[in-house]
């Protein structure tokens, strides 16, 4: 079972602990504020009050025993930077640090962070994309400028198969699954037929997904359909 260390349990850190706990992982939380520690006690295997900028304290935790260490400190960048650096020096396997600006991310990556996350920015981007179309139900951004979208089947696809539509060639995206009722079916073959009002899971590079989904349009049309309407 994977184990995680979360340093800084404000709102972001607290939600992180809770979700990791719900997924069945071991979580340890650290914060210098006792009032922040108390709400996460039900979601952690162990919690400590301490100063993460102190070398002796970080060494005493045994950070190399955790699969991932999260630096979730959001209100004090200097503390976040020092904590990130100490984790790296003390042998942390993988350090994920929180940032709110690109400048912060550069410093964090130069001082021990393996990865940087932007909670506010990522949520804002997700919300903008999710609610800019009446047809997008869900959205997951992946590394390398790729994403997964859940959306409605385009009208022109109804009663047609994957083979007939030649989806990969025409649209440069992949269909990962089809939702029927409350269940997802992930085995897609050339003979898979699309039906009216189905949800589909689409994977691809962002530049092709943007053309495919037409984020700026309230009417869901694919790139091919848009050409036909010109």
């Amino acid at each position: 079972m994977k184990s995680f260390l979360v340093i800084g349990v404000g709102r972001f850190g607290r939600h992180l602990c809770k979700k990791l706990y719900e997924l069945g992982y071991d979580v340890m939380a650290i914060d210098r504020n006792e009032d922040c520690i108390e709400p996460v006690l039900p979601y952690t295997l162990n919690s400590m009050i301490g100063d993460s900028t102190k070398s002796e304290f970080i060494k005493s935790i045994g950070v190399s025993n955790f699969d991932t260490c999260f630096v979730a400190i959001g209100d004090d960048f200097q503390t976040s930077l020092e904590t990130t650096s100490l984790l790296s020096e003390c042998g942390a396997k993988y350090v994920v640090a929180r940032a709110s600006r690109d400048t912060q991310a550069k410093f964090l990556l130069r001082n021990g962070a393996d990865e940087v996350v932007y909670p506010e920015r990522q949520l804002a981007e997700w919300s903008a994309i999710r609610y800019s179309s009446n047809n997008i139900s869900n959205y997951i951004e992946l590394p390398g400028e790729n994403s997964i979208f859940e959306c409605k089947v385009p009208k022109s696809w109804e009663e047609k198969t994957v083979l007939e539509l030649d989806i990969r060639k025409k649209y440069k995206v992949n269909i990962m699954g089809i939702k029927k009722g409350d269940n997802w079916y992930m085995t897609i073959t050339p003979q898979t037929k699309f039906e009216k009002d189905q949800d589909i899971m689409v994977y691809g590079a962002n530049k092709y997904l943007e053309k495919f989904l037409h984020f700026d349009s309230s009417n869901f049309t694919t790139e091919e359909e848009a050409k036909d309407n010109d």
Side-chain angles (χ1 to χ4, degrees), residues 56 58 122 187 222:
E56 296 78 9
I58 291 295
Q122 289 164 340
T187 302
T222 66

Side-chain angles (χ1 to χ4, degrees), residues 4-156:
F4 297 89
L5 173 65
V6 179
I7 301 178
V9 283
R11 283 177 295 180
F12 174 61
R14 184 169 65 251
H15 287 300
L16 185 59
C17 289
K18 186 174 184 292
K19 188 60 180 181
L20 289 169
Y21 171 81
E22 291 172 349
L23 292 171
Y25 298 117
D26 289 337
V27 183
M28 180 177 182
I30 292 174
D31 200 287
R32 63 174 63 180
N33 189 336
E34 183 177 357
D35 292 336
C36 291
I37 286 292
E38 288 185 5
V40 300
L41 291 177
Y43 314 120
T44 58
L45 189 66
N46 189 16
S47 297
M48 297 180 68
I49 301 168
D51 187 347
S52 60
T53 65
K54 302 299 183 183
S55 179
E56 296 78 9
F57 178 70
I58 291 295
K59 289 178 180 177
S60 70
I61 299 168
V63 295
S64 61
N65 296 319
F66 296 93
D67 293 282
T68 301
C69 296
F70 290 97
V71 182
I73 301 167
D75 57 355
D76 186 341
F77 180 66
Q78 184 62 36
T79 296
S80 176
L81 187 62
E82 291 181 27
T83 299
T84 299
S85 180
L86 277 175
L87 287 171
S88 179
E89 291 175 8
C90 293
K93 295 177 183 176
Y94 199 82
V95 180
V96 179
R98 174 184 181 177
S100 57
R101 299 189 298 274
D102 289 337
T103 303
Q104 293 180 351
K106 290 179 181 179
F107 279 106
L108 290 166
L109 291 168
R110 290 173 183 170
N111 287 273
D114 296 288
E115 187 175 347
V116 171
V117 294
Y118 299 81
E120 294 85 358
R121 179 190 296 183
Q122 289 164 340
L123 177 59
E125 290 177 354
W126 183 92
S127 298
I129 292 172
R130 164 66 179 84
Y131 295 105
S132 64
S133 170
N134 295 328
N135 298 279
I136 298 173
S137 304
N138 210 342
Y139 155 69
I140 301 173
E141 187 173 356
L142 302 174
E145 298 297 318
N146 298 298
S147 299
I148 298 173
F149 282 87
E150 179 186 342
C151 59
K152 293 293 183 184
V153 170
K155 290 183 179 180
S156 64

